[in-house]
Amino acid sequence: MLPFKLVYSDDYYLPIGAHVFPAEKYRRIHDRLLETGVAEPSDFVTPQPASDQDVLLVHTPEYIHKLKTGTLSAREELEMEIPYSPELVQAFWLAAGGSILAADCALKNGVAFNIGGGFHHAFPDHGEGFCMVHDVAVAIRRMQRDDKITRAMTVDCDVHQGNGTAAIFAGMRVPTGPLPSTPASTLTPAAPAKVRNAQAGDVFTISLHQENNYPMWKPPSSIDVDLPDGIGDDDYLAWLDNALSSGLRQFDPELICYIAGADPYREDQLGGLALTIEGLKRRDQLVFRVAHARNIPVMVTFAGGYAQHLEDTVTIHCNTVIAAKEIFPAGV
Ligand SMILES: [Zn+2]
């Protein structure tokens, strides 16, 4: 039995037909974790859909009304890049409920997964890039509303910038100077990347992403690392190490929300970075090791993953669970 919970429902399946987003990946991850003995049936917990009040903590009443009544404009639906249906709305409300439950479990057990979620391109008033509702933001705002935390950090390692996250938590940010100098122990990446830093509100947002990729307009996160095309494992890990060290020098979160996208993978159809499956697992280990060393609970969501072979995407996501099992062998 795992020392942490995996939040999952068969109803995470997104009814979007033939689509580059592999909607069946959640079930495949669930099945693989059981088949390989990484998890047992009792490790899984079933979420309830988020309430409308929960979703309102992040999204505007007008947008929620449009979703509930099927009155998005053609342009709004196009921007979301997934076909609207009432069933799809239900799936997103469930994913948000899953992230709320995962955040709750993480605060109890040190780490927890939503075997879904990570819809980081959703904005308060509209959806984008396969994302309708920002489940991670809903979970953070719910934990804050329940007085379980005051400060959270998002660590977004999806290949695409977390534009919705940045916009939602922009708060009172003002641009600041360059990053403080990094300690000597920190690795120095060989490949150049642009690092942008802004002051955080109650949620500190870190995004490592490919610069030349969607979204074109990247609203400022607390730390953005704009990576060049084709970056490999070692440089990526060095930049991640730098960003985590810098972020945790500036901010003291009570919960880390790790958005563990599988799309920095070198065979991803929508990504232009060159990480290997092993490198992606080292990425997960780094995030978990840093959080564990500081006793910061971690809630994990899976976000994107568009490998040419679906099995690779499933492997990358399952490896994130295995990495947590290695780093948190007995919980925190
Ligand atoms: Zn992505």
Side-chain angles (χ1 to χ4, degrees), residues 3-314:
F4 51 84
K5 291 297 176 194
L6 307 170
V7 179
Y8 171 77
S9 166
D10 285 341
D11 295 330
Y12 278 175
Y13 178 83
L14 300 175
I16 52 178
H19 196 283
V20 67
F21 190 99
E24 70 275 28
K25 79 172 180 177
Y26 308 122
R27 185 181 52 75
R28 298 283 284 271
I29 296 163
H30 167 266
D31 293 354
R32 174 90 70 85
L33 289 171
L34 288 173
E35 286 158 13
T36 53
V38 173
E40 296 174 9
S42 61
D43 294 320
F44 291 90
V45 289
T46 308
Q48 295 297 313
S51 68
D52 291 355
Q53 286 73 21
D54 293 332
V55 179
L56 272 166
L57 294 170
V58 169
H59 294 281
T60 63
E62 295 77 16
Y63 178 50
I64 291 175
H65 180 75
K66 285 180 195 171
L67 293 175
K68 290 262 169 175
T69 53
T71 50
L72 291 172
S73 69
R75 188 173 166 277
E76 286 170 323
E77 193 177 339
L78 206 63
E79 201 171 22
M80 206 156 63
E81 296 188 84
I82 40 177
Y84 175 88
S85 68
E87 294 74 27
L88 189 64
V89 174
Q90 285 177 14
F92 274 97
W93 254 246
L94 186 61
S99 286
I100 291 170
L101 180 56
D104 225 4
C105 291
L107 293 175
K108 287 187 190 116
N109 301 323
V111 61
F113 283 72
N114 187 5
I115 306 293
F119 297 114
H120 58 157
H121 301 311
F123 285 70
D125 61 351
H126 71 278
E128 274 189 32
F130 320 150
C131 301
M132 181 185 280
V133 167
H134 200 310
D135 57 291
V136 176
V138 169
I140 290 171
R141 288 303 189 217
R142 174 65 190 274
M143 293 303 108
Q144 290 175 325
R145 197 205 67 188
D146 292 351
D147 288 328
K148 292 179 176 170
I149 61 167
T150 52
R151 298 177 311 281
M153 174 181 277
T154 60
V155 176
D156 190 338
C157 291
D158 191 275
V159 79
H160 304 101
Q161 195 239 8
N163 54 349
T165 320
I168 288 165
F169 296 121
M172 39 186 252
R173 267 180 228 149
V174 291
T176 60
L179 282 178
S181 60
T182 49
S185 62
T186 306
L187 298 168
T188 306
K194 282 181 230 154
V195 179
R196 294 174 282 131
N197 204 25
Q199 204 162 42
D202 58 354
V203 179
F204 193 101
T205 55
I206 297 177
S207 180
L208 264 83
H209 47 263
Q210 185 189 4
E211 182 175 21
N212 296 321
N213 204 327
Y214 166 86
M216 285 290 287
W217 175 62
K218 297 175 175 64
S221 312
S222 309
I223 296 178
D224 281 297
V225 183
D226 297 326
L227 297 166
D229 298 351
I231 202 168
D233 293 344
D234 290 341
D235 286 321
Y236 184 96
L237 291 167
W239 280 114
L240 175 59
D241 195 16
N242 275 345
L244 289 171
S245 304
S246 173
L248 290 168
R249 275 199 303 278
Q250 299 175 50
F251 194 80
D252 177 28
E254 295 151 293
L255 176 69
I256 287 177
C257 296
Y258 176 35
I259 298 170
D263 48 13
Y265 179 43
R266 62 184 177 187
E267 289 179 35
D268 196 88
Q269 300 173 81
L270 301 186
L273 301 185
L275 274 73
T276 64
I277 288 179
E278 182 53 34
L280 286 157
K281 189 177 177 198
R282 286 165 60 202
R283 169 198 74 167
D284 300 332
Q285 289 167 329
L286 175 57
V287 173
F288 292 138
R289 214 176 285 125
V290 165
H292 186 250
R294 294 167 188 256
N295 274 330
I296 306 167
V298 188
M299 183 269 265
V300 186
T301 54
F302 280 154
Y306 316 92
Q308 286 156 22
H309 304 288
L310 174 59
E311 289 311 306
D312 287 348
T313 297
V314 173

